[in-house]
Amino acid sequence: MNTQEALLNFCLRLADNNMIAAQRLAEWCSRGPILEEDLALTNISLDLFGQAENFYEYAATLQNNGKTADDLAFLRSEREYFNNLLVEQPNGDFAFSTMKQFLYAAFAKPLYEALQASKDETLKGITSKAVKEIKYHLRHSSEWLVRFGNGTEESLKRSQTALNELWRYTDDMFLMNDNDKALIEAGISIDLNTVKASFMATVNEIFKAAHLSIPETNNIITGGCNAIHSEHLGVMLCEMQYLQRAHPGAQW
Amino acid sequence: MSTQEESLKKFQQRIDADEKIEPRDWMPENYRKTLIRQISQHAHSEVIGMQPEGNWVLRAPSLRAKKILLAKIQDEGGHGLYLYSAAETFGVSRAEMIQQLQEGKAKYSSIFNYPTLTWADMGAIGWLVDGAAIVNQTMLAKCSYGPYARAMLRICKEEGFHQRQGYEIMGKMMNGTPAQREMAQDAMNRFWWPSLMMFGPPDTESAHSAESMNWKIKVESNDKLRQRFIDRTVEQAHHIGLTVPDKDLKFNKETMHWEFGPINWDEFWTVVKGNGPCNHQRMNHHIHYHNEGAWVREAASAYERKISAN
């Protein structure tokens, strides 16, 4: 595996994760439980779109074939998207979206922290800016989980239900393929198992405070990094890519 | 002279001297009522206005367009927050104001009862709707009630950015493919007249104007503000090749104003009274998601109670 190709693929994975998570969060616009929370969710969405743009721009530079960041976001299909399965799951209720956001941020924070030691200067630059944002996202979602766990019976039930549904997609975030192997050897990326330890520490700490227990399940689903998705992604892309697909070559 | 009359006289003197009225100052009951009505209506407009723009967030055609639109909608929500706070200075709570909105007792700007059908509508809303709002809000920044005037100053700065981004969308589309130009002109045709209606009925028929002008809640009339908006906007439309959908539009070299055709006030009143294309949809959406979020608000309050008890 050529390192340049592996790096391109890895950047797309990071970009796609942020893009799809941001698109899901943007669905909350005008639908939040209180105005402040409507703003907080779209604010996180905006951060993630910004991170996606940075990774897409770097991917476009690496690809060096005249394609832009927008081409990468809006003109690739579901079998060319490398995001993790977690972020493409439908929003559900506010507890479900919060849990999804929490699990993603608990993964992205240690990943970005580790990538600050990358031998690739651009990746280092993008992730050191992103890590500040992701820390806030993690704090925001953690605080809500603790509120749910210590709020009402209903709020606890809803957040446990969300965890039961979403836990099956968490292993997918740590799945590695040949690209990862090439990047670990080159000192550009890291073994995702090291990130998992940090992820588990965060998760255990917050779940304890939020009275949540990790479900025991054999139903573990993976495939995002190999572009094997759930049925939800294609529908999202239809909506997201509609104008670019319907008006090829138009400038907006 | 009774105490009440004396207070009223002093109040009017302060207004005439261009002093700002602050929350703890004496004020006539009607001044208070008018401002609660107006500020809460303004806050509700910002919040309901998130819906027609939110309709295009998921379909925004580029990363840049998505970020700008999302940031703009957030600004609107933020304006809603400061306006609710400005109204709360009168001792009315946000929950009460929301209840009045949902019961149909409080209104919001009728412009948001029109649907956003194409991406060009994001341009038309930013350029025309926010453009009209700026003209009105620049006037309100000079109003006599301190908290409202100060909220307006901050809001006007952000609206300036919104208007530019809307105009940029229209400009790009007018420079684009035939389909894009068609969408831009179509959005112009649909949003032009409703934007003119945003300034409210003509001065001869405006129910609240005289007293509001006297107390400097409004400092300029509906018709004067409308004319200012038209004079500004017609030139901008021509600059990017858009046609203003008004066959009577002509420039009067003596008055230096654009003269315009009759506004369909029947349409205006139909929409104000709740029978516009999206009145029902906007209110249903607001009520639905407010109710969906009830358990979240209850959980947050229960948690706060537990924390403060410990």
Side-chain angles (χ1 to χ4, degrees), chain B residues 34-239:
Chain B
T34 303
L35 275 162
I36 292 177
R37 180 176 51 77
Q38 193 173 321
I39 301 172
S40 69
Q41 176 172 325
H42 196 159
H44 298 325
S45 301
E46 299 281 0
V47 171
I48 298 295
M50 295 167 79
Q51 292 182 37
E53 292 188 304
N55 181 35
W56 280 91
V57 166
L58 300 179
R59 292 175 289 172
S62 69
L63 289 156
R64 182 172 177 272
K66 240 182 209 312
K67 287 194 325 187
I68 292 176
L69 182 61
L70 205 50
K72 177 183 190 295
I73 301 172
Q74 269 193 298
D75 286 347
E76 312 290 6
H79 298 170
L81 281 181
Y82 350 125
L83 287 163
Y84 282 127
S85 304
E88 281 177 332
T89 60
F90 291 109
V92 53
S93 72
R94 199 202 304 181
E96 287 171 81
M97 290 185 265
I98 289 173
Q99 194 184 342
Q100 285 169 354
L101 170 72
Q102 295 186 345
E103 287 171 356
K105 291 177 188 158
K107 298 212 177 303
Y108 56 89
S109 179
S110 277
I111 193 77
F112 301 121
N113 290 317
Y114 291 88
T116 52
L117 302 179
T118 73
W119 174 251
D121 292 14
M122 296 303 98
I125 287 190
W127 172 45
L128 299 174
V129 174
D130 289 327
I134 291 171
V135 171
N136 196 34
Q137 288 166 0
T138 307
M139 178 270 291
L140 289 172
K142 296 176 208 145
C143 94
S144 59
Y145 189 58
Y148 194 29
R150 289 189 288 273
M152 282 302 117
L153 275 180
R154 189 164 161 194
I155 287 175
C156 280
K157 282 184 198 152
E158 292 180 349
E159 295 289 3
F161 152 76
H162 297 170
Q163 199 204 8
R164 282 195 295 282
Q165 69 83 33
Y167 190 56
E168 184 195 273
I169 291 175
M170 291 306 250
K172 274 190 176 171
M173 291 184 78
M174 287 305 288
N175 264 324
T177 64
Q180 285 177 302
R181 282 198 292 279
E182 198 179 309
M183 277 190 256
Q185 183 62 54
D186 172 60
M188 175 74 177
N189 296 347
R190 284 181 288 112
F191 278 95
W192 174 253
W193 292 104
S195 303
L196 301 190
M197 294 174 199
M198 283 175 68
F199 296 95
D203 296 349
T204 46
E205 289 164 35
S206 180
H208 307 290
S209 271
E211 193 177 60
S212 288
M213 297 281 278
N214 209 20
W215 284 337
K216 294 186 185 166
I217 293 173
K218 275 175 81 83
V219 297
E220 287 179 286
S221 77
N222 294 355
D223 286 335
K224 198 171 170 191
L225 295 169
R226 184 166 17 245
Q227 186 65 54
R228 183 175 301 150
F229 171 71
I230 291 170
D231 289 344
R232 256 182 216 182
T233 312
V234 168
E235 308 284 344
Q236 292 170 354
H238 292 164
H239 183 70

Side-chain angles (χ1 to χ4, degrees), chain A residues 45-157:
Chain A
S45 169
L46 197 52
D47 285 345
L48 297 181
F49 277 129
Q51 291 179 20
E53 188 175 29
N54 292 335
F55 288 122
Y56 281 134
E57 273 169 5
Y58 186 35
T61 311
L62 291 168
Q63 208 173 25
N64 194 24
N65 62 357
K67 293 265 168 65
T68 63
D70 279 334
D71 293 334
L72 292 172
F74 294 96
L75 296 172
R76 280 177 307 135
S77 68
E78 48 273 56
R79 294 284 288 110
E80 299 163 297
Y81 253 74
F82 300 103
N83 62 280
N84 292 122
L85 301 174
L86 176 79
V87 293
E88 72 198 38
Q89 297 311 307
N91 277 345
D93 63 11
F94 185 67
F96 203 88
S97 288
T98 304
M99 181 61 76
K100 201 159 47 134
Q101 182 57 33
F102 168 74
L103 293 169
Y104 176 62
F107 157 74
K109 181 179 162 276
L111 174 64
Y112 290 172
E113 280 168 347
L115 288 174
Q116 286 175 69
S118 170
K119 283 188 181 161
D120 186 277
E121 288 300 319
T122 310
L123 214 50
K124 211 164 141 172
I126 299 173
T127 50
S128 54
K129 180 176 174 283
V131 82
K132 290 178 197 143
E133 295 172 344
I134 213 88
K135 274 182 187 166
Y136 161 71
H137 305 167
L138 181 61
R139 198 180 75 212
H140 178 261
S141 49
S142 303
E143 284 172 358
W144 272 110
L145 292 183
V146 172
R147 263 182 218 123
F148 293 150
N150 298 281
T152 60
E153 234 173 83
E154 181 177 11
S155 64
L156 173 61
K157 193 175 154 216

Side-chain angles (χ1 to χ4, degrees), chain A residues 184-195:
Chain A
I184 294 166
E185 276 171 30
I188 292 173
S189 184
I190 40 127
D191 185 335
L192 294 178
N193 288 310
T194 61
V195 173

